[in-house]
Amino acid sequence: MLKVNLRHLEEHGIRLKGELPVAELDLDLNDDLIRVEKPLRYNLSVELLNDAVLVTGSLALPLNCECARCLKKFSTDLKLANWALHLPLEGEDKVSVDNDCVDLTPFVREDILLDFPQHPLCKPECAGLKSKTARKPKALEKQDLDVWAKLDKLKIK
Ligand SMILES: [Zn+2]
C-alpha cells in the first residue's frame, strides 16, 4: 500500500520512493492493447501544510502495448513527471484518515487512468500496416546524387 503516516510528517516532510505492485494498484483495465505487468515506480515528497497534505513527485508505470495501427508490440512508460496532490485534512473534501494514515493509492490510480493512452502507437508517426507498400522517395534521392557527381567531375576538368 502507498500510505502516508501523518505522525511521521509532524516534524518534517518525508520522501517516499519505491514500487507499488500491479495487484495493489488494481487498475481494472479492459483493454486488449495495453497490459500492465510491472509495478508502478514512485518517487514522492510528502509534507504537511496547515490543514492539508501536499504530495509532489513522479510516477512511472511500465506498459506493454500493441500498436493500434501496425499491431507491433512495444513497451513504454506512462510517466507523470510533475505529479502533485493536495489532500485537505479539514472541511467537506477532507481525505479519510485511518489510524493516522492516508492511503494515496486511489489518487494514484485515478490519475494514472486519466493519463492512460487511448490508442497506443509504436511511434507517433506510425503509418500502420500499409507502410510496406508506401511509395519511397529513394529514386529521387539517387537522381540528385547523380547530378552532384556529374558536377564534381565537371569541376575537375
Ligand atoms: Zn505502429
Side-chain angles (χ1 to χ4, degrees):
M1 284 291 197
L2 187 45
K3 276 188 179 173
V4 176
N5 189 321
L6 297 180
R7 287 195 181 278
H8 296 169
L9 293 174
E10 278 167 4
E11 284 180 26
H12 51 77
I14 56 167
R15 189 136 202 107
L16 288 177
K17 196 175 173 183
E19 295 189 335
L20 185 68
V22 179
E24 287 185 27
L25 190 59
D26 192 20
L27 285 174
D28 190 24
L29 287 175
N30 196 3
D31 198 318
D32 291 340
L33 296 177
I34 306 173
R35 260 181 283 278
V36 179
E37 284 152 354
K38 292 179 189 159
L40 171 100
R41 300 189 302 274
Y42 56 85
N43 188 354
L44 305 169
S45 67
V46 189
E47 52 189 304
L48 193 60
L49 308 178
N50 281 337
D51 52 1
V53 176
L54 181 65
V55 185
T56 51
S58 63
L59 303 171
L61 181 67
L63 305 178
N64 290 328
C65 305
E66 213 170 284
C67 178
R69 287 187 194 153
C70 73
L71 304 180
K72 193 169 89 178
K73 287 188 166 57
F74 67 100
S75 310
T76 185
D77 274 5
L78 195 172
K79 280 183 194 152
L80 301 180
N82 296 303
W83 192 58
L85 183 63
H86 183 267
L87 300 170
L89 295 170
E90 307 283 340
E92 272 182 38
D93 300 324
K94 71 174 178 187
V95 69
S96 65
V97 179
D98 184 24
N99 277 333
D100 295 325
C101 287
V102 174
D103 187 5
L104 301 180
T105 317
F107 305 102
V108 170
R109 179 185 303 127
E110 192 176 319
D111 284 357
I112 288 285
L113 285 173
L114 278 176
D115 233 54
F116 226 71
Q118 296 300 310
H119 298 283
L121 296 177
C122 60
K123 54 186 183 217
E125 69 277 17
C126 174
L129 290 169
K130 285 174 188 165
S131 65
K132 277 175 192 165
T133 54
R135 202 159 45 93
K136 288 173 188 165
K138 271 193 180 158
L140 187 68
E141 279 168 26
K142 177 122 189 344
Q143 209 172 34
D144 285 349
L145 287 173
D146 286 349
V147 170
W148 284 110
K150 277 173 195 165
L151 284 174
D152 279 349
K153 276 177 196 163
L154 286 174
K155 275 180 205 158
I156 294 164
K157 282 175 188 173

